Amino acid sequence: ALADFTAAINLDQQNAEVRPLARGQVYYNRAIAYAKRGDFKSAIADAEAYLKLVPDDQAGAELLQEWRQQDEN
């Protein structure tokens, strides 16, 4: 799944301005996949990229905070 999300991000780079929500969703999904593997640093990086594209998502911001706390432990 991680490779598929990464491929989608790479393919969609030229359309980033046109489809920020769709691109953001791929970052969000990959962040969740990283978090499930315990890779919180990568999950945090993708969640931050997602929130730049979709800044009003409170649930995404809450997940980011949760992953930051788990990364500190």
Side-chain angles (χ1 to χ4, degrees), residues 18-73:
V18 179
R19 301 174 33 190
L21 183 59
R23 187 159 189 236
Q25 192 62 47
V26 177
Y27 277 110
Y28 182 82
N29 290 340
R30 190 172 71 170
I32 291 172
Y34 278 130
K36 285 183 179 181
R37 296 178 87 186
D39 184 353
F40 295 108
K41 288 190 187 330
S42 296
I44 290 165
D46 277 358
E48 289 172 344
Y50 166 71
L51 289 169
K52 286 181 184 175
L53 296 166
V54 188
D56 295 332
D57 185 346
Q58 185 62 34
E62 290 172 7
L63 275 177
L64 175 59
Q65 292 298 355
E66 179 183 323
W67 294 334
R68 284 179 174 155
Q69 289 173 348
Q70 290 181 9
D71 188 49
E72 291 175 359
N73 296 330

Side-chain angles (χ1 to χ4, degrees), residues 1-10 26 30 33-34 37:
L2 287 172
D4 292 336
F5 293 135
T6 300
I9 289 168
N10 292 335
V26 177
R30 190 172 71 170
Y34 278 130
R37 296 178 87 186

